[in-house]
Amino acid sequence: MSRALLVLLVLAAPAIAADPPNIVFIFSDDHAFQAISAYGDPRKLIDTPNIDRLAKEGVRFDRCLVPNSICGPSRASVLTGKYSHRNGFYNNSNSRFDSSQVTFPKLLQKAGYQTAIIGKWHLVTDPTGFDYWHILPGQGLYYNPPMIRNGTRVKHEGYVTDLIADFSIEWLKKRDKSKPFLLMSQHKAPHREWAPALRHLGHNKDRKYPEPETLFDDYSGRGVAVRDQDMTLAKTFTALDAKLVPVPNMTEEQRTSWNAYYAPRNQAYQQAKLEGKELVRWRYNRYLHDYLGCIKGVDEAVGKLLKYLDDEGLAKNTIVVYCSDQGFYLGEHGWFDKRWIFEESLRTPLLVRWPGRAKVGHVDRNLTSIVDLAQTFLDAAGVPADPEMQGASLVPLLEGKTPENWRKSFYYEYFEYPAPHRVMPHYGVVTNRFKLARFYVPTLEGKPKVDYWELYDREKDPLETKSFFQDPAYADTVKELQTELERLRKDLKVPDQPPKEAFGSLLMPVKKKKK
Ligand code: CA
């Protein structure tokens, strides 16, 4: 390219930082903060040395919240910097991403960044705003996953997390080195059905894990929503979840190694004929073996990418982010899965390293969100954000400075119902101490079938096992939070009624009264 042409191109592009940082965004699916050693869970479930490096060399965000705790909607919020009710992606059942809308990769691409997404996409329509995309169709498979590369279906042999790491590094090797880059390296793991790599089977040496205090939660002290859900180890856990049957799509050789680990243990389980609490305990330990085995793979993938950045001298001018699309239950309340405004699913891990800018070893405890990421990346690159974006740049927080007007409350919304886990739609306001939420069952006729409020006080009840909504001592708190909730809904342009399609394709029909 001639120098004159280059100058023209630079002039035509929007403003960009003088030495724009590269961005490596590593995004996993359903990774609980309890399963990252840097977050210091008291159960000490796992050691994640590579992910922890980002906490040591950068900033650990301790209260990064998601606006709608499920996969697709979270991904749409990361890309658009908007809530589900503004970007139109409400649920995993029938939402399709409107790919014509503004996203941060599109804005970075326009500003001269080279952009790529590799791994899990899960937004139904094809990616836009990327020079290169190589994605799993839908949820994707753990073993030998078919993928789609720039529109063409391709076959691969291997374990999904390893492949995504390798393809990410391959793309970095082949990239146009004259441009800054955005790489979104997005893992399927540790999503259900939690299938570890063969080398990680038996990683925990049959450890019996400490149990969360609420493993046998009786759901008293709260409304019908927590009792009506279908996401318990006791009742919802399937034979595939328990690996009593092998996961799909393995080669014969892979299956042989797989069975060498699971078959004798499954036989012992069948012979023991466990029931009640003992059955739940067995499932809890099997679940954690498999889930944490997946995390071992993700941590190694992070290690490979960090090593590549080190070896190539790229680490210095590259922002590396590790984040999950939401948190996850690791037996708390007897559950797996996500969806709720409760802490384990509302909070997601967020670790950011940016040499020279992010305060080394800093812990940020402000209310932050993945809805802030789009504006953060644009700010770091010196590219103006879209005025419709609903978050705020985290750059000052990365530098250890909290802006005076930083949010003191956060709006949450969840829609998908009743399938797949019967978690009632709800929305609410979250502060450092409290959560006020309205639960409701939508009907085709528009009038909710169930409609009630709950109040949680994390100072008095950190495990969120009791609603204080009816307690007269909290009357003023409820009033204040309701006012704040209305302010947030107005500010975030939340419609009074969500559209019917927000709840998914299986909306509850109203039972007709017999005449
Ligand atoms: Ca997810």
Side-chain angles (χ1 to χ4, degrees), residues 36-40 48-62 302 306 320-322 349-354 358-364:
I36 292 179
S37 36
Y39 277 96
T48 49
N50 296 299
I51 298 172
D52 287 12
R53 241 188 97 181
L54 299 176
K56 280 190 201 112
E57 297 169 10
V59 177
R60 184 185 92 202
F61 287 87
D62 262 14
V302 172
L306 293 182
V320 181
V321 176
Y322 185 85
L350 176 66
L351 304 155
V352 184
R353 183 181 80 176
W354 187 8
K359 204 172 161 187
V360 173
H362 178 60
V363 177
D364 181 278

Side-chain angles (χ1 to χ4, degrees), residues 29-30 71 325-326 338:
D29 194 334
D30 294 358
C71 311
D325 60 352
Q326 12 64 213
K338 52 240 181 185

Side-chain angles (χ1 to χ4, degrees), residues 333-352:
H333 306 290
W335 293 337
F336 59 89
D337 212 67
K338 52 240 181 185
R339 298 164 199 273
W340 301 93
I341 196 171
F342 307 131
E343 211 62 7
E344 291 83 357
S345 44
L346 175 72
R347 248 182 90 185
T348 202
L350 176 66
L351 304 155
V352 184

Side-chain angles (χ1 to χ4, degrees), residues 305-482:
L305 261 172
L306 293 182
K307 183 176 183 309
Y308 180 81
L309 298 176
D310 287 340
D311 292 350
E312 295 298 306
L314 287 166
K316 203 168 161 266
N317 195 32
T318 300
I319 301 173
V320 181
V321 176
Y322 185 85
C323 183
S324 168
D325 60 352
Q326 12 64 213
F328 213 66
Y329 294 90
L330 300 181
E332 299 90 350
H333 306 290
W335 293 337
F336 59 89
D337 212 67
K338 52 240 181 185
R339 298 164 199 273
W340 301 93
I341 196 171
F342 307 131
E343 211 62 7
E344 291 83 357
S345 44
L346 175 72
R347 248 182 90 185
T348 202
L350 176 66
L351 304 155
V352 184
R353 183 181 80 176
W354 187 8
R357 292 293 294 274
K359 204 172 161 187
V360 173
H362 178 60
V363 177
D364 181 278
R365 296 195 167 89
N366 291 295
L367 292 176
T368 55
S369 173
I370 58 166
V371 89
D372 298 325
L373 292 171
Q375 279 147 283
T376 304
F377 295 141
L378 293 166
D379 187 13
V383 177
D386 183 85
E388 293 288 305
M389 288 178 171
Q390 297 184 299
S393 169
L394 298 173
V395 170
L397 304 186
L398 284 171
E399 293 170 331
K401 296 171 233 161
T402 306
E404 241 172 70
N405 60 349
W406 191 259
R407 72 168 74 85
K408 300 278 189 297
S409 65
F410 179 78
Y411 181 68
Y412 181 77
E413 58 187 5
Y414 172 77
F415 305 93
E416 192 174 69
Y417 185 83
H421 288 289
R422 294 188 65 85
V423 172
M424 233 172 243
H426 56 288
Y427 64 84
V429 55
V430 179
T431 66
N432 275 329
R433 178 171 169 184
F434 296 107
K435 288 175 189 174
L436 176 76
R438 177 186 166 217
F439 291 88
Y440 61 100
V441 172
T443 67
L444 286 172
E445 288 175 359
K447 202 172 160 10
K449 208 168 120 192
V450 176
D451 195 352
Y452 69 99
W453 293 82
E454 297 206 332
L455 174 73
Y456 294 89
D457 180 351
R458 291 176 57 242
E459 206 175 284
K460 287 249 172 73
D461 172 37
L463 301 178
E464 300 174 306
T465 59
K466 186 174 170 12
S467 169
F468 294 88
F469 186 77
Q470 305 288 357
D471 186 334
Y474 285 85
D476 289 346
T477 304
V478 166
K479 234 174 152 180
E480 276 164 36
L481 289 168
Q482 272 173 338

